[in-house]
Amino acid sequence: MNTQGMDNQQLEVTSKQTLSFTDREIFISKYPLFGLLSRRDVRELALIAQEVRLPEGAIITKEGDIVDSVYLIVSGSAKVSREVSSPTKTETMELATLKKGDAIGLSGTGFFARRGIRTATGIAAQPIVLLAFDVIDFQRFLQRPGI
């Protein structure tokens, strides 16, 4: 997983999981985009997911960066914002607060950033645990027959 938007000192990819593998599968299957997948396919997604822990204030994604991963929020929350410019100033506009069960970089029908560039910045509003899916692994998964 590339960590473009994340400060490497803030990132902790855990080898010790807070979710058991079974809980990970259940959590993934509850996301609308994955709800109709077979048990085998959900298992495949759980195998490619990496658990990531970040402290409050950590940058998860940065507007303008290349999309390298998509995320499901296991616990905690994130504020999503976007830079809005006028001829005289640039301001940050808050778009949403995401919570457990929400996704960063995905919608219920697929990718948010179709061009491969992040359209918003996501910052941990409190300590957060994410399931991260490397975009290349995720695209390989989506290209499998029957998906």
Side-chain angles (χ1 to χ4, degrees), residues 1 25 31 44 76 79 81-82 85 112 119 125 145:
M1 174 178 66
E25 290 176 299
Y31 187 69
E44 291 294 320
K79 300 265 186 200
S81 62
R82 184 174 196 162
S85 297
F112 274 120
T119 58

Side-chain angles (χ1 to χ4, degrees), residues 7-92:
D7 178 335
N8 286 335
Q9 294 176 342
Q10 297 174 335
L11 174 68
E12 180 187 338
V13 178
T14 62
S15 56
K16 182 180 178 187
Q17 302 167 355
T18 59
L19 292 176
S20 70
F21 191 77
T22 300
D23 287 343
R24 198 184 268 220
E25 290 176 299
I26 292 167
F27 190 82
I28 289 168
S29 70
K30 289 183 179 181
Y31 187 69
L33 184 63
F34 309 137
L36 297 177
L37 293 176
S38 69
R39 185 175 169 99
R40 179 179 168 267
D41 291 333
V42 169
R43 184 172 199 74
E44 291 294 320
L45 271 179
L47 285 170
I48 66 172
Q50 290 190 354
E51 197 166 309
V52 177
R53 297 166 179 258
L54 298 169
E56 181 178 344
I59 297 171
I60 303 164
T61 62
K62 188 172 179 186
E63 183 178 355
D65 281 356
I66 294 171
V67 175
D68 59 353
S69 298
V70 293
Y71 306 92
L72 291 180
I73 300 174
V74 175
S75 66
S77 63
K79 300 265 186 200
V80 179
S81 62
R82 184 174 196 162
E83 295 293 313
V84 180
S85 297
S86 70
T88 58
K89 63 182 175 179
T90 299
E91 293 183 7
T92 300

Side-chain angles (χ1 to χ4, degrees), residues 79-122:
K79 300 265 186 200
V80 179
S81 62
R82 184 174 196 162
E83 295 293 313
V84 180
S85 297
S86 70
T88 58
K89 63 182 175 179
T90 299
E91 293 183 7
T92 300
M93 179 174 71
E94 188 172 311
L95 302 174
T97 298
L98 303 177
K99 61 188 180 330
K100 179 180 178 176
D102 289 335
I104 299 171
L106 285 175
S107 69
T109 58
F111 290 103
F112 274 120
R114 301 212 184 276
R115 293 187 179 150
I117 303 296
R118 299 263 182 218
T119 58
T121 296

